[in-house]
Amino acid sequence: TTGMLVSALLVLLFCLRGHAGPSPHFLQQPDDLVALLGAEARLPCALGEYWGLVQWTKDGLALGGERDLPGWSRYWISGNAASGQHDLYIRPVELEDQASYECQATQAGLRSRPAQLHVLVPPEAPQVLGGPFVSLVAGVPANLTCRSRGDARPIPELLWFRDGIRLDGTTFHQTLLKEGTTRLVESILSLTPSSADDGATLVCRARSQALPSGKDTAITLSLQYPPVVTLSAEPQSVLEGEKVTFLCQATAQPPVTGYRWAKGGSPVLGARGPMLEVVADASFLIEPVSCEVSNAVGSANRSTALDVQFGPILQARPEPMSVDVGGDASFSCAWRGNPLPRVTWTRSGDAQVLGSGPTLRLPSVGPEDAGDYVCRAEPGLSGLGGGAAEARLTVNAPPIVTALHSAPAFLRGPARLQCLVFASPAPDAVVWSWDEGFLAAGSQGRFLVETFPAPEGRGGQGPALISVLHISGTQESDFSRGFNCSARNRLGEGGARVSLGRRASASFSKQKNLVRIPGSSDGSSSRGPEEEETGSGEDRGPIVHTDHSDLVLDEEGALETKDPTNGYYKVRGVSVSLSLGEGPGGGLFLPPPSPLGPPGTPTFYDFNPHRGMVPPCRLYRARAGYLTTPHPRAFTSYIKPTSVGPPDLTPRTPPFPYAAFPTPSHPRLQTHV
């Protein structure tokens, strides 16, 4: 029966509730809310079918049932209670308001879902260390530090901007200064400033959800930098010899303390200010002018080269060349000028242009190509500079031997034959040969040979030698036979035939001219009077006898005392003495004076191998001892020349090397680079 009673009561209660209408319920429940510190927060709550007591709890703590919530001065419940509106308001929101809130209908036993209130704290304006004016050194890496302190929620980010553009290259970190409260946030910007950054404004911005626009702190950069230099020249393009002014301008922080000028790396003495005046020359084209400006931070240097127009200047001369016949030859020379000079090549003494440019090439040269070649550059716009430089081409070929004019000789008198030898390379020897013998140097019986360099002829055709064959006491056979003058070098051999002309006989006077012999007591002859008769040279043998009679020419053929070379090569004569007595071996020679000029003049040949062939320096006379000095007129009226000059060439023989070769009928075609 008890069970039946309980069941009846439940049925009755259910019936009563169904007749009472809808039960209480939430029309609106609070949601999680984010509120700024100091702002107003509203948590909504609306109930339907409920007219009883409504209260709010904070983290489970009831705030009270009254609408004004006594004891909570910043909290209140608002809304139309008759319509079931019970909203919780908080103003101003503080950090302590961050909690979990519920709306409860206590009499209906209803509780809303929890709503979390998040309180946001905007960041404070950041601080830049060293601001608002930060001094940096241009070119030196630096770090700028931006800090944000406080209880900003959430933690702000720190950003760098310049002219509204965000800068990269930052590092970020945070430090908790006090447990659960104050935090320190830093952002470091790394940069290497330049002088262009002087006066620039940088902004550090602290930004978070609480303050999306962020808070800014600006700084101004004050740059210390070495001088920034500009160097100018007025005018920039000049003629050689004109005046030029250089102006050196600089910006610097701190200010400029000094100027230094240099040209081509060498200091310009006495130049200390920002201006330099010079007179331009060719060196300014390759030696720039530089200006160095200094201040307390450092120094900077700028340089500039002038466009100086100047005439040609020779930089490299052409070098002499020696080439074998058939080989190729080339000459090079270098001229410097602005504008670049025109270079031409000619032969010395000839205006025909063989080529242009720095190099002249001559393929397959022959003897006719030997000579001096001229590299020439014309003066520049200023009229200055220019000129020419020569170089000699020596063509190595077999010797060329030319017979020179020789004066006719008397029978039994002295004679001299000459030949001219051109040879490059120098010949091994110059040899005279005749029927019964040959001689290269020294003496042999009636013959003596001397060879010496000839004065240089025109055209620069190479070295030349003059070889002279002296004959004492000529014989009939000397006038009928030929004498050969020949020379040989590594390239071949050359020769020429030389003939001796005969002069008509001379008559002698009866007057004697005695020669004093050292050791004699007077100037009388040591021969008997029977030997002092007069007669023709043809009948009496040698013209000169013991008493040294004067030789007087007849009126028909006077023996001229002239240079047999006509003064062209100024060949030095050689004093020749005949035998004075019965000395064996016939005529002997005194050693000739050196034909090579004053002491110290280099010889063309080394005569050392032949010195043993030269006869003694004294003439021996039986009964009278040695005759150390011949009488000036001991032989004939011939007078020894006192200077060396060119020999007489055969008629129509040009006085320069290789003249014996046939001259081509057409000019040589030269090639050039």
Side-chain angles (χ1 to χ4, degrees):
T1 51
T2 304
M4 295 178 59
L5 179 60
V6 171
S7 299
L9 289 174
L10 289 175
V11 171
L12 179 62
L13 178 61
F14 178 77
C15 293
L16 291 175
R17 292 188 64 180
H19 290 285
S23 61
H25 58 277
F26 282 104
L27 299 177
Q28 184 179 11
Q29 299 186 53
D31 294 316
D32 292 344
L33 177 65
V34 175
L36 289 177
L37 182 69
E40 181 180 273
R42 170 179 170 270
L43 296 171
C45 179
L47 291 166
E49 302 300 327
Y50 180 75
W51 295 273
L53 178 65
V54 175
Q55 67 174 3
W56 283 85
T57 63
K58 175 183 178 182
D59 290 336
L61 177 64
L63 299 180
E66 293 83 359
R67 304 284 288 184
D68 56 356
L69 299 178
W72 302 87
S73 58
R74 297 180 292 106
Y75 289 49
W76 72 92
I77 297 175
S78 179
N80 188 350
S83 62
Q85 196 72 34
H86 306 277
D87 299 338
L88 176 64
Y89 283 84
I90 305 172
R91 188 178 61 192
V93 175
E94 296 181 359
L95 285 177
E96 62 185 35
D97 298 331
Q98 183 167 291
S100 177
Y101 294 86
E102 290 183 3
C103 178
Q104 298 178 353
T106 57
Q107 292 176 339
L110 296 177
R111 298 173 61 184
S112 68
R113 61 175 173 266
Q116 187 70 36
L117 175 61
H118 298 279
V119 178
L120 300 183
V121 179
E124 299 177 357
Q127 176 189 11
V128 179
L129 300 185
F133 296 95
V134 178
S135 180
L136 301 177
V137 177
V140 178
N143 293 327
L144 298 179
T145 301
C146 179
R147 290 178 177 175
S148 176
R149 292 177 177 270
D151 294 324
R153 298 183 184 184
I155 297 173
E157 60 176 342
L158 301 178
L159 307 176
W160 289 92
F161 293 86
R162 177 174 178 175
D163 299 330
I165 300 174
R166 182 175 173 177
L167 302 179
D168 296 325
T170 62
T171 59
F172 177 84
H173 68 272
Q174 61 177 331
T175 303
L176 182 63
L177 298 183
K178 187 177 180 181
E179 183 67 28
T181 56
T182 307
R183 289 180 175 86
L184 172 65
V185 181
E186 285 186 348
S187 177
I188 298 176
L189 174 66
S190 299
L191 74 164
T192 301
S194 66
S195 58
D197 297 324
D198 186 41
T201 298
L202 301 183
V203 172
C204 179
R205 177 175 299 168
R207 186 179 67 179
S208 72
Q209 183 183 359
L211 188 61
S213 60
K215 285 190 176 181
D216 296 344
T217 297
I219 61 168
T220 301
L221 299 182
S222 176
L223 265 295
Q224 292 187 354
Y225 52 91
V228 178
V229 182
T230 58
L231 179 60
S232 61
E234 183 62 35
Q236 187 71 36
S237 180
V238 295
L239 292 177
E240 188 175 20
E242 291 184 346
K243 182 181 291 186
V244 179
T245 300
F246 292 91
L247 181 61
C248 185
Q249 297 175 306
T251 58
Q253 181 65 32
V256 171
T257 56
Y259 294 84
R260 290 177 57 191
W261 292 88
K263 174 177 174 285
S266 300
V268 179
L269 300 179
R272 288 291 182 267
M275 185 179 297
L276 176 67
E277 290 187 350
V278 299
V279 175
D281 58 33
S283 64
F284 283 88
L285 189 65
I286 58 174
E287 296 180 1
V289 172
S290 60
C291 172
E292 182 181 84
V293 185
S294 303
N295 69 353
V297 176
S299 61
N301 186 302
R302 288 293 180 272
S303 61
T304 184
L306 290 179
D307 180 20
V308 181
Q309 298 182 3
F310 58 93
I313 299 174
L314 181 63
Q315 287 188 302
R317 304 181 65 87
E319 297 292 335
M321 290 202 66
S322 178
V323 181
D324 290 350
V325 170
D328 297 339
S330 65
F331 294 100
S332 296
C333 69
W335 295 83
R336 183 168 64 92
N338 186 27
L340 193 66
R342 180 177 182 266
V343 179
T344 58
W345 292 86
T346 61
R347 289 191 70 162
S348 180
D350 190 350
Q352 180 182 1
V353 176
L354 303 178
S356 60
T359 302
L360 174 68
R361 300 189 186 278
L362 305 174
S364 302
V365 297
E368 69 276 5
D369 296 318
D372 293 328
Y373 289 82
V374 182
C375 171
R376 189 183 312 276
E378 298 300 326
L381 299 178
S382 63
L384 303 176
E390 292 188 2
R392 175 161 298 177
L393 173 61
T394 301
V395 179
N396 300 323
I400 299 175
V401 183
T402 304
L404 299 179
H405 173 72
S406 300
F410 292 106
L411 180 64
R412 299 186 182 88
R416 183 172 70 173
L417 302 178
Q418 304 174 104
C419 68
L420 182 64
V421 179
F422 295 107
S424 176
D428 302 328
V430 179
V431 179
W432 286 88
S433 61
W434 55 95
D435 294 341
E436 66 270 19
F438 64 91
L439 186 61
S443 63
Q444 176 182 320
R446 298 181 299 118
F447 303 95
L448 179 143
V449 171
E450 58 176 350
T451 303
F452 50 87
E456 184 177 307
R458 63 184 174 88
Q461 299 290 323
L465 297 174
I466 293 178
S467 185
V468 181
L469 173 65
H470 296 277
I471 307 174
S472 66
T474 58
Q475 300 176 358
E476 284 288 349
S477 60
D478 295 335
F479 300 103
S480 60
R481 64 184 170 189
F483 293 86
N484 291 321
C485 176
S486 61
R488 174 186 293 274
N489 64 10
R490 64 177 175 82
L491 296 175
E493 183 177 4
R497 182 180 179 86
V498 186
S499 300
L500 177 62
R502 183 168 182 172
R503 186 183 288 272
S505 300
S507 61
F508 299 91
S509 68
K510 294 182 179 180
Q511 181 180 0
K512 309 295 186 295
N513 190 10
L514 303 180
V515 178
R516 183 176 300 275
I517 305 299
S520 302
S521 60
D522 53 31
S524 63
S525 172
S526 61
R527 299 286 297 274
E530 70 275 12
E531 299 182 18
E532 297 178 2
E533 300 175 1
T534 62
S536 68
E538 186 175 353
D539 297 334
R540 295 302 302 272
I543 295 175
V544 181
H545 53 75
T546 307
D547 295 316
H548 299 273
S549 300
D550 285 339
L551 176 63
V552 179
L553 301 180
D554 56 16
E555 296 178 358
E556 295 178 0
L559 181 61
E560 300 177 0
T561 60
K562 73 171 188 174
D563 181 358
T565 67
N566 290 333
Y568 185 82
Y569 277 98
K570 302 187 185 301
V571 178
R572 178 179 298 168
V574 179
S575 298
V576 181
S577 174
L578 300 182
S579 173
L580 302 179
E582 300 83 14
L588 295 175
F589 289 100
L590 286 175
S594 171
L596 305 181
T601 304
T603 61
F604 200 86
Y605 286 101
D606 182 8
F607 289 103
N608 290 327
H610 311 289
R611 293 194 185 276
M613 303 174 63
V614 179
C617 294
R618 299 178 179 176
L619 296 177
Y620 182 80
R621 183 182 187 276
R623 300 191 303 274
Y626 289 99
L627 177 64
T628 58
T629 306
H631 192 272
R633 302 187 58 178
F635 314 127
T636 66
S637 60
Y638 173 74
I639 299 176
K640 181 177 72 173
T642 59
S643 62
V644 177
D648 290 340
L649 299 171
T650 56
R652 296 181 300 279
T653 301
F656 56 89
Y658 306 117
F661 283 140
T663 303
S665 60
H666 59 84
R668 171 184 171 83
L669 296 178
Q670 309 288 359
T671 62
H672 67 275
V673 176

